[in-house]
């Protein structure tokens, strides 16, 4: 995607923005729990990516794996934002867990909300890998790349993350539906 | 081998994700089929994973792409033009006289003592190609420089930038930065250390161009016969600077014309090497030349590298 990119013509960066904006905004929203912050974070990420490319010699662009690289930038921006956020009053447009209408068990919209709030309660390092793996379908290798961590660490994190998520889900589903199993 | 439930549970999520080896997949699979609890958890895990994949993406608001592109263009407008470098200078009152210090960003590019402002400006224009601007001394930087000049700190914390100097000059100046407070080395030592053993005179020439004397301690380099040699800021200044580090002219002479061998280790050092300083007097064997020391069966120290 970078073959046609020319740092002196910013318009050539637009295909990258278009291709990734949706998944990154969704990712950042789930990381930050707030739509406005997420959009700002993604804007910031694209700008950082652009600036980096501009500074970097063209010959080395081939070494960039776009997907993990952009996620890495987004993740870093989210971390910074997350810190700023935690100093502010908690802002979220995510439904709080106990208000989530979880009782109708597996019916679609309610279930979605239950899952969203469970994701929101996942500790953020796990949240990041679980989102990248199962929502954005990045490969282990790509996630390892994005986090700059060894493959084994990433796998273990994902497994632990799914376990935590599963338990969070079980808690909120069972609260309303003891007879389901 | 049959797995216990507690072991299987540890691997359950890896099993569901398909990340186990063939053998352990078989074992965990067998357990899951036999154990209702684990089978329930396994299906909960795969359901969770599936439902994650089914979550709808958040919609990107209209005009988002345009806004991003606008901001990118805003950052891109001065295409690749580096900021024009800005040099600033200030004057510090020190016990050695008025010091003029110039810096760019946070790097010191020039230091002189007792030089006229006009001279300094002309010199900087010649050397860096920029007209320096007078500023009030920035607190941290001036404090650091004062500490170094007044010898309250035994090494310089100020970052320096050499600017336009030749490769040879750079090598010499960087090497001289290694000579610590209270040590002196002869010119030939610097030449030998940068791999140009014949270039002792050229070293002296390079040090005469030291843009940041005191910060790069070229006053700690003296002649092989023990005399002080020249100095960018004048020989008298060199003497005063060395005096602050505890050297009388006799000490200087002694520090480069004698080598200390150690009777117990068979190693010889410059007398100002940290290792030489901790020798017991009764173990010191003085030599005049490295050849004498070697002939006596001694080898050069690896820290001060007198040969």
């Amino acid at each position: 995607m970078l073959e046609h990119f020319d740092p002196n013509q910013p318009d050539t960066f637009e295909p990258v923005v278009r291709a990734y904006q949706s998944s990154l905004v969704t990712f950042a929203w789930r990381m930050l729990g707030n739509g406005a912050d997420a959009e700002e974070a993604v804007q910031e990420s694209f700008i950082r990516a652009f600036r980096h490319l501009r500074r970097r010699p063209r010959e080395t662009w081939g070494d960039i794996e776009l997907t993990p690289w952009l996620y890495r930038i987004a993740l870093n921006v989210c971390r910074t934002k997350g810190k700023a956020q935690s100093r502010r009053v908690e802002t979220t447009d995510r439904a709080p867990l106990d208000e989530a209408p979880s009782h109708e068990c597996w019916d679609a919209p309610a279930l979605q909300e239950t899952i969203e709030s469970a994701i929101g309660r996942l500790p953020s390092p796990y949240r990041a890998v679980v989102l990248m793996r199962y929502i954005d379908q990045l490969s282990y290798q790509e996630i390892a790349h994005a986090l700059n961590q060894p493959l084994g660490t990433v796998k273990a994190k994902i497994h632990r993350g799914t376990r935590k998520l599963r338990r969070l889900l079980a808690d909120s589903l069972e609260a309303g539906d003891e007879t389901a199993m | 081998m049959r797995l216990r439930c507690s072991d299987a549970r540890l691997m359950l999520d890896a099993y569901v994700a398909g990340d186990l080896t063939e053998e352990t997949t078989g074992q965990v699979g067998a357990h899951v089929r036999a154990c209702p609890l684990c089978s329930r958890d396994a299906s909960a895990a795969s359901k969770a994973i599936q439902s994650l994949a089914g979550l709808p993406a958040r919609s990107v608001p209209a005009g988002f792409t345009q806004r991003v592109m606008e901001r990118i263009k805003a950052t891109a407008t001065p295409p690749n033009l580096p900021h024009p470098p800005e040099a600033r200078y200030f004057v510090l009152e020190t016990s050695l006289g008025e010091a003029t210090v110039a810096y760019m960003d946070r790097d010191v590019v020039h230091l002189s003592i007792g030089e006229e402002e006009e001279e300094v400006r002309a010199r900087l224009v010649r050397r860096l190609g920029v007209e320096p601007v007078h500023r009030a001394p920035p607190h941290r930087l001036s404090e650091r420089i004062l500490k170094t000049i007044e010898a309250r700190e035994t090494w310089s914390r100020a970052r320096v930038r050499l600017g336009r100097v030749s490769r040879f000059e750079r090598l010499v100046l960087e090497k001289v930065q290694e000579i610590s407070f209270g040590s002196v080395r002869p010119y030939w030592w610097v030449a030998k250390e940068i791999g140009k053993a014949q270039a002792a005179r050229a070293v002296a020439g390079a040090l005469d161009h030291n843009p940041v004397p005191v910060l790069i301690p070229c006053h700690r380099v003296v002649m092989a016969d023990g005399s002080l040699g020249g100095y960018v800021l004048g020989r008298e200044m060199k003497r005063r600077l060395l005096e602050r580090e505890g050297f009388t002219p006799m000490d200087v002479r002694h520090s480069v014309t004698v080598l200390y061998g150690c009777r117990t280790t068979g190693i010889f050092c410059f007398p100002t090497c940290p290792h030489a300083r901790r020798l017991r007097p009764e173990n010191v064997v003085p030599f005049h030349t490295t050849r004498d020391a070697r002939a006596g069966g001694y080898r050069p120290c690896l820290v001060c590298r007198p040969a």
Side-chain angles (χ1 to χ4, degrees):
Chain A
M1 197 171 282
L2 290 178
E3 295 96 72
H4 302 293
F5 175 62
D6 174 3
N8 293 319
Q9 290 177 345
D11 280 323
T12 53
F13 194 63
E14 196 168 321
V16 179
V17 177
R18 285 201 184 277
Y20 283 94
Q21 58 185 8
S22 163
S23 45
L24 287 182
V25 165
T26 311
F27 176 74
W29 171 63
R30 291 204 172 101
M31 287 308 291
L32 295 166
N34 175 308
D37 283 349
E39 282 156 32
E40 219 178 278
V42 174
Q43 270 199 22
E44 171 75 29
S45 309
F46 280 127
I47 291 168
R48 281 198 198 181
F50 178 83
R51 284 198 186 141
H52 178 85
L53 287 174
R54 198 172 53 180
R55 278 199 310 267
R56 189 178 166 130
R58 180 176 279 274
E59 310 82 77
T60 63
W61 288 356
D63 303 341
I64 298 177
E65 282 185 67
L66 205 53
T67 308
W69 181 60
L70 287 173
Y71 271 89
R72 179 183 194 145
I73 297 174
L75 195 58
N76 285 337
V77 175
C78 284
R79 279 183 189 140
T80 322
K81 275 226 179 300
K83 274 182 211 152
Q85 214 178 40
S86 64
R87 281 191 293 270
R88 290 203 315 254
V89 186
E90 197 56 50
T91 55
T92 176
D93 41 27
R94 184 153 46 205
L97 192 65
D98 33 309
E99 278 174 33
S102 59
H103 307 269
E104 306 301 299
C105 206
W106 296 103
D107 96 79
L111 174 68
Q112 274 174 15
E113 275 194 52
T114 315
I115 297 174
E116 291 289 6
S117 55
I119 292 175
R121 291 185 27 172
L122 211 52
S124 63
Y126 295 115
R127 202 190 311 166
V129 290
V130 167
L131 292 179
M132 285 193 271
R133 180 69 193 101
Y134 292 118
I135 295 188
D136 301 308
Q137 314 284 345
L138 268 66
S139 68
Y140 287 134
Q141 196 60 57
E142 286 174 321
I143 298 174
H145 216 91
L147 298 179
N148 195 20
Q149 281 174 355
L151 200 57
T153 313
V154 166
K155 281 189 189 170
K157 256 194 189 166
I158 292 173
H159 301 152
R160 272 183 228 132
T162 19
R163 180 158 64 204
K164 280 182 202 287
L165 185 69
R166 169 161 63 85
R167 292 197 177 142
L168 286 168
L169 278 173
D171 287 350
S172 54
L173 289 175
E174 269 164 26
D177 199 298
E178 252 113 80
T179 52
M181 289 295 156
Chain B
M1 193 198 92
R2 289 205 48 200
L3 272 181
R4 282 185 311 173
C5 209
S6 55
D7 296 327
R9 307 198 126 235
L10 288 177
M11 296 188 278
L12 209 54
D13 293 280
Y15 166 74
V16 173
D19 286 334
L20 295 175
T21 59
E22 206 173 315
E23 193 195 349
T24 37
T25 305
Q27 288 173 353
V28 177
H31 176 87
V32 166
R33 279 189 293 281
C35 169
L37 267 181
C38 289
S39 119
R40 192 197 65 176
D41 283 352
S43 74
S46 58
K47 253 188 204 144
I49 290 175
Q50 277 165 22
S51 52
L52 281 176
L55 285 180
R58 197 176 159 79
S59 60
V60 178
F64 180 79
T65 320
Q66 279 70 35
R67 263 177 286 152
V68 173
M69 290 313 297
E70 266 162 37
R71 282 193 55 189
I72 284 179
K73 278 174 206 160
T75 70
T77 25
N80 271 334
L81 270 185
H83 283 292
E86 211 186 356
R88 296 163 178 181
Y89 72 97
F90 56 89
V91 178
L92 274 181
E93 207 52 60
T94 76
S95 59
L96 297 174
E98 268 190 359
T100 313
V101 181
Y103 62 103
M104 293 170 85
D105 297 331
R106 261 166 284 164
D107 305 335
V108 179
V109 293
H110 170 88
L111 187 155
S112 57
I113 296 176
E115 196 179 17
E116 289 298 318
E117 228 174 281
E118 277 319 303
E119 267 173 77
V120 175
R121 296 171 65 101
R123 189 203 289 269
L124 283 170
V125 172
R126 236 180 304 131
R127 198 161 65 85
L128 302 163
V130 287
E131 181 79 21
V133 187
H134 185 268
R135 283 293 149 90
H139 179 74
R140 263 162 65 108
L141 186 61
S142 59
E143 192 54 34
R144 283 179 175 179
I145 289 173
L146 265 180
K147 276 184 180 161
T148 314
I149 294 184
E150 304 300 347
R152 270 182 284 147
E153 221 152 66
T154 53
W155 55 286
S156 168
R157 289 161 158 284
R159 286 200 342 213
V160 302
R161 190 195 298 177
L162 295 177
R164 273 182 228 153
V165 294
S166 72
R167 211 178 78 84
F168 179 78
E169 286 172 343
R170 181 173 298 272
L171 281 175
V172 169
L173 293 168
E174 277 168 3
K175 177 49 74 177
V176 169
Q177 269 178 310
E178 291 172 19
I179 306 175
S180 55
F181 188 91
S183 296
V184 289
R185 296 285 180 268
Y187 288 103
W188 63 257
W189 178 85
V190 179
K192 172 195 72 90
E193 283 284 303
I194 61 172
K196 312 225 174 207
Q198 297 305 308
R201 302 238 47 124
V203 166
L207 291 183
D208 193 39
H209 293 155
N210 182 0
V212 282
V214 189
L215 302 185
I216 292 181
C218 64
H219 59 276
R220 295 179 192 147
V221 185
V222 298
M223 310 252 290
D225 66 0
S227 55
L228 287 186
Y231 190 50
V232 222
L233 303 177
R235 194 171 300 212
E236 171 57 16
M237 197 64 85
K238 190 171 192 172
R239 192 191 62 73
R240 286 170 72 184
L241 282 165
L242 285 168
E243 202 173 67
R244 286 157 179 256
E245 301 188 13
F247 288 102
T248 64
M250 271 315 291
D251 293 330
V252 172
R253 180 170 308 250
H254 188 75
S255 300
V256 288
T257 52
V258 181
L259 295 164
Y260 281 0
C262 172
R263 207 185 296 281
T264 55
T265 59
I267 297 173
F268 65 97
C269 297
F270 282 114
T272 54
C273 173
H275 291 289
R277 290 182 183 283
R278 49 190 293 280
L279 291 181
R280 288 163 186 272
E282 65 268 26
N283 287 332
V284 173
V285 186
F287 295 103
H288 276 292
T289 62
T290 57
R291 197 183 304 148
D292 291 349
R294 281 223 161 93
Y298 287 74
R299 69 149 175 93
C301 169
L302 294 176
V303 175
C304 63
R305 298 179 295 271

